């Protein structure tokens, strides 16, 4: 018999070179960075905070008849100062309330019974019969920032001072100091800071409109 013979494979069936590998996928973008954590409020902001019923007003020194001696009446925050004003208004606004305790104030481990005054004194109006507290002034400067609030007087006013006052129109509180001190004022009073360091508030339902500043030159 004739020798076995295998016909050649057709060209289409011959081995082909391997196909090149697919191009690599582009790298995935990194996941977005998380938003930065909010900065905690500063000590000054924490000490200056008060609820809306207090109408807290930064960089303001409201005028009015003083119902206490703030240099010996310290509290920790503007809210505590506002609460003291509210307590005074509740108790001391009644007829014949002079001498009545309206607040047991705690400061540096000591508790002081604060009593309703019979008179109130202001630089503008002199001395008159005491009225219920409706405005307050607080020094929020923390000890870490110097612990003082500048005022155009002979005293060194310290952190935590709380002055309880009364004005005829708390919805438009008169401000002896408000905002930034004028350049001419700072030239006259060389130790004055750029802005009023005090903050104030008024017991009035709804927003208040500050009447001022009325600088004491």
């Amino acid at each position: 018999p004739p020798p076995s013979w295998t016909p050649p494979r057709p060209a289409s069936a011959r081995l082909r070179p391997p196909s090149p590998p697919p191009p690599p996928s582009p790298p995935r973008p990194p996941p977005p960075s998380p938003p930065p954590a909010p900065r905690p409020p500063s000590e000054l902001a924490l000490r200056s905070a008060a609820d809306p019923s207090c109408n807290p007003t930064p960089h303001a020194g409201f005028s009015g008849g003083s119902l206490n001696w703030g240099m010996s009446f310290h509290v920790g925050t503007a809210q505590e100062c506002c609460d003291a004003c509210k307590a005074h208004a509740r108790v001391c606004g009644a007829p014949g309330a002079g001498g009545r305790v309206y607040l047991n104030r705690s400061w540096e481990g000591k508790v002081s019974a604060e009593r309703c005054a019979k008179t109130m004194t202001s630089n503008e109006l002199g001395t008159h019969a005491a009225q219920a507290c409706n405005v307050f002034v607080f020094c929020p400067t923390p000890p870490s920032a110097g612990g003082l609030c500048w005022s155009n007087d002979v005293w060194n006013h310290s952190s935590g001072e709380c002055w309880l006052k009364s004005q005829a129109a708390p919805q438009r509180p008169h401000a002896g100091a408000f905002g930034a001190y004028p350049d001419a004022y700072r030239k006259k009073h060389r130790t004055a800071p750029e802005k009023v360091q005090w903050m104030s508030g008024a017991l009035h339902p709804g927003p208040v409109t500050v009447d001022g500043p009325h600088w004491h030159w």
Side-chain angles (χ1 to χ4, degrees):
S4 60
W5 175 81
T6 303
R9 298 172 64 187
S12 60
R14 293 175 186 170
L15 292 176
R16 295 177 179 175
S19 300
S25 301
R28 293 183 179 181
S33 301
R39 296 180 64 181
S42 67
E43 187 180 0
L44 176 62
L46 290 172
R47 291 168 63 85
S48 301
D51 67 57
S53 68
C54 303
N55 290 292
T57 307
H59 307 298
F62 289 172
S63 311
S66 180
L67 300 158
N68 68 333
W69 182 244
M71 294 190 72
S72 59
F73 193 111
H74 290 81
V75 295
T77 64
Q79 184 65 60
E80 291 179 55
C81 189
C82 177
D83 291 343
C85 187
K86 291 178 178 179
H88 185 282
R90 282 194 306 270
V91 177
C92 304
R100 188 178 302 171
V101 174
Y102 68 91
L103 177 70
N104 288 309
R105 180 179 57 87
S106 179
W107 177 252
E108 295 183 341
K110 181 181 178 182
V111 177
S112 300
E114 304 295 346
R115 299 180 180 273
C116 303
K118 295 181 180 180
T119 59
M120 62 181 185
T121 302
S122 71
N123 294 334
E124 299 85 6
L125 302 174
T127 300
H128 297 276
Q131 304 295 318
C133 181
N134 57 20
V135 298
F136 64 91
V137 182
F138 175 70
C139 178
T141 311
S144 59
L148 296 175
C149 284
W150 189 88
S151 186
N152 186 9
D153 57 29
V154 300
W155 309 103
N156 285 326
H157 295 280
S158 60
S159 177
E161 283 188 26
C162 172
W163 295 80
L164 308 182
K165 298 186 174 186
S166 181
Q167 292 194 21
Q171 72 277 12
R172 187 173 169 79
H174 183 284
F178 185 44
Y181 290 104
D183 289 342
Y185 191 96
R186 296 187 69 208
K187 287 180 181 178
K188 181 178 180 181
H189 304 283
R190 296 289 183 175
T191 57
E194 290 186 9
K195 291 185 177 182
V196 176
Q197 294 170 305
W198 300 89
M199 63 84 56
S200 297
L203 305 186
H204 177 72
V208 300
T209 301
V210 177
D211 176 13
H214 300 276
W215 303 111
H216 297 285
W217 288 82

